Amino acid sequence: MSDEPNPSARPDWEPRPPSTNRKGRPKRTGLRRLIPTWRVVLGTVLTGLLLLIGAFFLGYALVSIPDPNAAAVAQNNVYLYADGKTELSTDGAVNRQNVPLSEVSKTTQYAVLSAEDRNFYHESAVSPKSMIRAAWNTLTGKGTQSGSTITQQYVKNYYLNQNQTVTRKVKEFFIAIKLDQNESKDQILDGYLNTSYYGRNAYGIQAASQAYFNKNATDLTTAEGAYLATLLNAPSEYDLAAHPENAAAAKARWNYVLDGMVKEGWLTQSARDATVFPTIGAPQPVASKAGQRGYIIEAVNQYLTDNKIVSSDDLAAGGYQIVTTIQKPKEDALVKAAQDNVYDKLGTSKADSYVRAGGVSIDPATGNVVALYGGIDYTKQYVSSATNSTYQPGSTFKPVVLTSAFQNDSKTQDGDTITPNTVYNGDSGREVQGPDGPVNYAPANEDGDSYGDITVTEAMDKSVNAVFAQMAQDVGTSKVIDTAHELGMPDSVNIPQTPAMALGAFDSPSASPLDMAQVYATLANHGEEIPYSMVVKVTKDGTDLGLPSRDPQQAVPRTAVDTTTSVLQTVVDSSNGTASVAQDSGWPSAAKTGTAEDDKAAWFAGYTPKLATVIAVLGMDPTTGAQESLYNAMGMDRVNGGGPPGQVWAQYTKDALSGVAKQDFDLQLQSGAKPSITTPPPATTEPPGTTEPPQTTTPPPATSEPPTTAPPTDTTEPPTTAPTTGPTGPAPTDTTLAPVGGITGGPVQGGASPSG
C-alpha cells in the first residue's frame, strides 16, 4: 500500500463547503428557512396536545358536580302600580310536578329528542361538532345557536345558570361529562324533562301537560307531545292561545319535530301522515292573575322581553320588582266604564256570548300606558283584547290617511291641494281614480248612501268611504304607510298597499288597540312620537336594570297633525259627527269611530289634550276563538263605535280626568285649514238619547256610522234627514277580513263596506 497522500482527501482542519451540513445535507436557504421542518411541526402539535390533555384533566379534577342551583327553583316577580308602592300582583311561583320517565308517554320522549337532540342516546355528553357548527353559524350571521346537547341543557338548568359566559360554558362542559359517567341517559332525560320551561308558568313535562291539555304526561298523544316539544324552542311565542298570530311559525316547528321522528325511526310515515295539529286547551285560572292583573302582567312581560330588558328565561326564574306605568285610579275607572257600558248590558243571546271589550289609554306627554283593559277577567278570557292584533281597525285609520295628505302637501287628481275644505265626490260605489284612470276599486258608503260633492271635513264627520279611499290613492299608499309608521304603528302591522287601507281593511297581523293608541297618542302630542312604555323601573336584588331611551321625536310636522286634530274635533262637535258621544266626557275631544266588516269589531279612538284612549268591542267565539259578528248583541241591531265603545271612552275619560283643570287643544293649523269648534257644550246640555241612540235599523252587511240622531252604525253616515236603510235578513256569515271588493281591488258587489 502506497504511503502517498490521497489528493482527494480533505484534511480535518479544512472548513466544509457552506452548502452542506456536518452530515452532508445541504442547508436550507432563502424562503425555505421560514418554513418549519416536520420535526418542529410534530413537536408543536405534540406539545399542544399535551397541554390540551393536561388542561382537560386539570379542569376535570377541579370542576365537580355541584348541588342543584337555587335558581332552578323560580321566585316570584312583584308588579307594582306606577306609584311604586301599591302592589298590583305577584307572579312567577314555580309550577312543577316531577314525574319519572316511565310516566311520560314514549312518543313525547321521542318528540323532545327530535326537537332538541336527536343523537342523545348514541353520543357523548358534549358534541364538539355541534358546538363548532353553532359557533360558525353565529359568526357567519346564520343565527345564534347554543350547540348544547340535552345533557348540557340539563346541567345549565339544574346546576348552573343562563349566563352566556366562558366560565359557565367551561363548567357546563366538565359537569356534563361527569354527569354522563355518573347517571344513565334515561336519568338525564328524566331530569331534563322535569326542569325545562314550557310557558304558562309550567316547569316540567307534567305541569306543561296539565297546563295545555289538562291531562297527565303519560296520556299525551303524539301530536300533543310534539307541540310541547315545540314549546321548548320558544315557550312564550308558540303558545297559540296567547299569540294566535304565530300559528304559522309554531306549526312549522311542530312539523319539523314530527319529520325528525320519522327520520330517526321513532314514528312511521303512515302515523305521521295521520297526525293532525292538536287542539290547545284554555289556560287554567291563576288566582294572582284574576281580573285585569293577568292582562297587565302579560303586556308588561312582553314589553320587557321585546325591548330586551329582561329575557323570558330570566323572568321565569323570577326575583324582579317591576314598577309598571299603570295608574290605579285610571285603571279602576276603565274597568268600571267597561263594566257599566258593555258587560252590564249583555243579555243571554248567542251574540252576547261573543262580546269582548278591550282598551288602552296613554298619556301623550310621556308615552306611558296609564290604563289597560284586556277583557272581563284573565281567568275567564285568556286572550287580551287590548293587545289582540287580528281585528280590522276600520275607519279609525282614516285620520292617518288625512295626516299623510297634509304632511306631503298632496293633491287631488285635479291638482288641488288637499285641505280640510277640499271638495271630493262622495258618491257610493265611485271608482277610485288613478293617474291612468280607474284602479279597479269602488268602495260603497254605508247603506249605499251618496253625498255628491262634499268637503274633507264633512266626509270625516260622516266617515265617507268613497272620499278617503280616493284620498289614499291621491296621497300614495306607500306614503300613507310611511306616515303610519312615523306615528308609531308597528312595522309588523299588515297595511294593504291599496286604497282599501282607508277603510282599515288589514289582514292579520292587524293593529291592536294598543297599536292604535300609540298612533293617536302621537296625534295628541302634536306629531312628537314617544314609544309607549309599560314599565317605570325594574330592579333585581336592589340593582336597577335601566330602561331603553324614549326621547320624543318630531315624526310628523306639527301643523299637519294639528290640522288633522281640528278635523277630528268636528267629528265630536258636529251635529252629524259619528263621535259626538265624546262630548259626555266634558273635555275638548278629537275622535274617530271605526267598524270592521260584518260588525265583528267596533272601535272608538280619540284624545283630549291629556289622554289618548282607544276602546274596541270585539266579537269572538268563546270556544273556538273565531271572529264573530256582533249583530243583535246587547239588544242592538248593530254595535258600532259611537255606541258602547264611545260610551266607555266618554265615561272613562270623564272619570280619569276628574279634578284635572280642563285644557283646550293648542293647535297650529296649516294654511287654508278651517278651525274646528274647540269647546264642546257640557254633557248636561245634551238632549236625551245622545249617548244611547235607539237601535231601530235592520243589520246591514257593512259597518259605517250614522249621525247620533240615527241608530249608530260606524262609518259612512247618511245626513240626519235621510232615513237609514239596509238589507233585511240574518247577519252575514262571511268570515273574510277584507272589505267588500277586497284589499287587492275589484268592483264592489253589494251596497256596503266596512268603515266607521
Side-chain angles (χ1 to χ4, degrees):
M1 182 172 69
S2 173
D3 293 330
E4 294 292 325
N6 185 352
S8 63
R10 179 174 53 82
D12 290 339
W13 52 265
E14 184 177 343
R16 295 180 178 87
S19 61
T20 61
N21 57 23
R22 184 175 297 274
K23 294 184 178 181
R25 290 188 301 272
K27 282 190 174 183
R28 298 159 61 89
T29 61
L31 293 177
R32 292 185 62 201
R33 291 180 300 170
L34 303 178
I35 302 174
T37 66
W38 67 269
R39 290 181 178 86
V40 173
V41 173
L42 178 61
T44 301
V45 171
L46 291 176
T47 301
L49 287 174
L50 289 174
L51 289 174
L52 286 174
I53 293 172
F56 175 84
F57 282 105
L58 179 62
Y60 189 86
L62 293 177
V63 178
S64 58
I65 299 177
D67 293 329
N69 195 333
V73 180
Q75 307 172 58
N76 281 344
N77 292 317
V78 179
Y79 298 81
L80 304 174
Y81 283 104
D83 62 8
K85 300 177 182 178
T86 307
E87 184 175 301
L88 191 158
S89 184
T90 59
D91 183 45
V94 172
N95 176 24
R96 178 191 289 123
Q97 304 89 39
N98 289 342
V99 293
L101 196 60
S102 60
E103 292 184 19
V104 180
S105 69
K106 203 68 178 177
T107 55
T108 297
Q109 297 178 39
Y110 289 143
V112 170
L113 294 176
S114 176
E116 298 298 313
D117 189 356
R118 296 178 184 179
N119 297 317
F120 173 74
Y121 274 104
H122 46 271
E123 72 176 0
S124 61
V126 295
S127 173
K129 179 180 177 181
S130 297
M131 295 171 70
I132 293 171
R133 181 179 65 249
W136 174 255
N137 288 340
T138 300
L139 290 173
T140 56
K142 296 181 180 180
T144 302
Q145 300 180 10
S146 68
S148 298
T149 64
I150 277 181
T151 305
Q152 289 174 280
Q153 293 182 55
Y154 172 50
V155 167
K156 177 181 66 175
N157 292 339
Y158 195 63
Y159 294 104
L160 300 173
N161 53 51
Q162 307 295 323
N163 295 338
Q164 297 294 324
T165 63
V166 174
T167 301
R168 198 270 290 165
K169 285 287 187 182
V170 170
K171 288 183 178 180
E172 175 188 298
F173 179 88
F174 288 109
I175 294 172
I177 293 174
K178 286 192 173 183
L179 196 67
D180 199 40
Q181 294 178 337
N182 296 333
E183 294 185 10
S184 68
K185 290 289 188 180
D186 282 352
Q187 288 176 309
I188 293 172
L189 180 59
D190 180 307
Y192 175 76
L193 291 172
N194 280 305
T195 56
S196 295
Y197 182 63
Y198 296 82
R200 294 194 185 180
N201 204 36
Y203 288 84
I205 193 69
Q206 173 67 10
S209 181
Q210 290 288 345
Y212 289 91
F213 301 111
N214 196 29
K215 60 172 61 174
N216 292 324
T218 189
D219 300 322
L220 289 168
T221 66
T222 300
E224 293 165 346
Y227 177 73
L228 295 183
T230 295
L231 290 171
L232 292 168
N233 186 252
S236 297
E237 298 301 318
Y238 289 166
D239 183 353
L240 300 188
H243 295 286
E245 69 273 14
N246 293 338
K251 289 180 180 179
R253 179 71 178 176
W254 180 79
N255 284 317
Y256 165 82
V257 171
L258 291 175
D259 291 340
M261 294 173 69
V262 173
K263 183 177 180 180
E264 295 298 324
W266 297 326
L267 185 68
T268 65
Q269 186 63 52
S270 60
R272 162 70 178 93
D273 294 339
T275 304
V276 297
F277 196 78
T279 300
I280 302 166
Q284 300 300 310
V286 180
S288 64
K289 292 188 175 182
Q292 298 303 305
R293 292 190 291 268
Y295 302 123
I296 295 172
I297 289 172
E298 293 300 320
V300 168
N301 288 352
Q302 191 71 46
Y303 180 82
L304 292 172
T305 56
D306 285 351
N307 289 276
K308 301 185 182 348
I309 301 168
V310 182
S311 71
S312 57
D313 287 341
D314 289 340
L315 273 175
Y320 293 90
Q321 185 176 85
I322 302 162
V323 180
T324 73
T325 58
I326 302 297
Q327 298 178 15
K328 191 175 189 306
K330 290 183 174 62
E331 179 69 20
D332 292 345
L334 185 53
V335 171
K336 186 176 188 305
Q339 186 68 41
D340 291 347
N341 295 283
V342 177
Y343 291 100
D344 284 351
K345 295 182 178 180
L346 294 179
T348 58
S349 71
K350 189 172 184 179
D352 287 319
S353 70
Y354 297 150
V355 173
R356 300 286 183 270
V360 176
S361 186
I362 294 178
D363 178 353
T366 64
N368 288 342
V369 176
V370 296
L372 181 145
Y373 185 87
I376 184 64
D377 190 313
Y378 183 81
T379 63
K380 298 176 182 178
Q381 175 199 328
Y382 183 56
V383 178
S384 173
S385 297
T387 57
N388 190 320
S389 59
T390 62
Y391 287 80
Q392 295 177 347
S395 289
T396 60
F397 192 73
K398 284 176 180 172
V400 177
V401 177
L402 185 61
T403 301
S404 190
F406 295 153
Q407 176 186 8
N408 292 287
D409 295 321
S410 300
K411 300 182 184 299
T412 67
Q413 296 296 311
D414 294 331
D416 298 327
T417 300
I418 299 174
T419 74
N421 301 312
T422 299
V423 175
Y424 270 90
N425 185 304
D427 287 342
S428 181
R430 175 186 177 275
E431 282 272 4
V432 173
Q433 302 293 313
D436 301 319
V439 299
N440 199 31
Y441 183 65
N445 295 330
E446 173 65 15
D447 298 326
D449 289 315
S450 293
Y451 299 93
D453 289 344
I454 187 172
T455 68
V456 168
T457 298
E458 292 172 320
M460 186 68 80
D461 292 347
K462 300 173 182 179
S463 199
V464 181
N465 292 339
V467 169
F468 289 96
Q470 180 63 57
M471 187 182 295
Q473 176 69 34
D474 294 344
V475 176
T477 55
S478 62
K479 291 182 179 179
V480 174
I481 293 174
D482 289 342
T483 299
H485 292 159
E486 288 162 354
L487 291 172
M489 183 79 76
D491 293 343
S492 60
V493 175
N494 190 2
I495 306 174
Q497 294 194 46
T498 72
M501 63 164 46
L503 281 64
F506 301 174
D507 283 332
S508 185
S510 186
S512 68
L514 176 58
D515 296 332
M516 294 307 298
Q518 172 76 82
V519 170
Y520 275 70
T522 306
L523 293 175
N525 200 36
H526 309 290
E528 279 196 357
E529 195 258 344
I530 306 175
Y532 81 86
S533 178
M534 294 289 302
V535 175
V536 173
K537 187 177 182 180
V538 182
T539 59
K540 184 173 185 179
D541 299 328
T543 301
D544 191 337
L545 272 64
L547 299 173
S549 174
R550 297 166 51 243
D551 296 330
Q553 299 290 331
Q554 191 68 50
V556 180
R558 175 170 181 166
T559 55
V561 170
D562 283 1
T563 303
T564 295
T565 297
S566 73
V567 174
L568 294 181
Q569 283 185 277
T570 71
V571 184
V572 174
D573 300 328
S574 170
S575 60
N576 291 326
T578 60
S580 62
V581 67
Q583 295 177 20
D584 291 347
S585 71
W587 272 76
S589 306
K592 186 70 189 74
T593 55
T595 310
E597 186 182 17
D598 293 335
D599 205 37
K600 292 176 180 176
W603 297 70
F604 194 98
Y607 50 95
T608 72
K610 291 292 186 181
L611 280 180
T613 306
V614 173
I615 304 296
V617 174
L618 313 174
M620 177 184 290
D621 188 300
T623 302
T624 66
Q627 296 186 14
E628 297 288 349
S629 169
L630 292 171
Y631 291 129
N632 300 315
M634 293 182 275
M636 301 177 179
D637 290 332
R638 170 187 292 157
V639 178
N640 58 72
Q647 293 159 11
V648 172
W649 189 96
Q651 179 178 321
Y652 161 73
T653 301
K654 179 179 180 179
D655 293 344
L657 296 177
S658 176
V660 178
K662 287 185 177 60
Q663 178 181 332
D664 208 343
F665 288 106
D666 177 20
L667 303 180
Q668 298 177 11
L669 306 182
Q670 285 185 341
S671 176
K674 179 182 178 181
S676 64
I677 301 172
T678 56
T679 306
T684 56
T685 64
E686 289 300 306
T690 298
T691 59
E692 293 190 23
Q695 305 295 317
T696 58
T697 59
T698 303
T703 54
S704 304
E705 297 220 349
T708 55
T709 55
T713 53
D714 199 0
T715 49
T716 18
E717 298 91 15
T720 54
T721 57
T724 304
T725 60
T728 59
T733 57
D734 184 13
T735 58
T736 180
L737 290 181
V740 177
I743 63 170
T744 57
V748 169
Q749 305 296 322
S753 274
S755 184

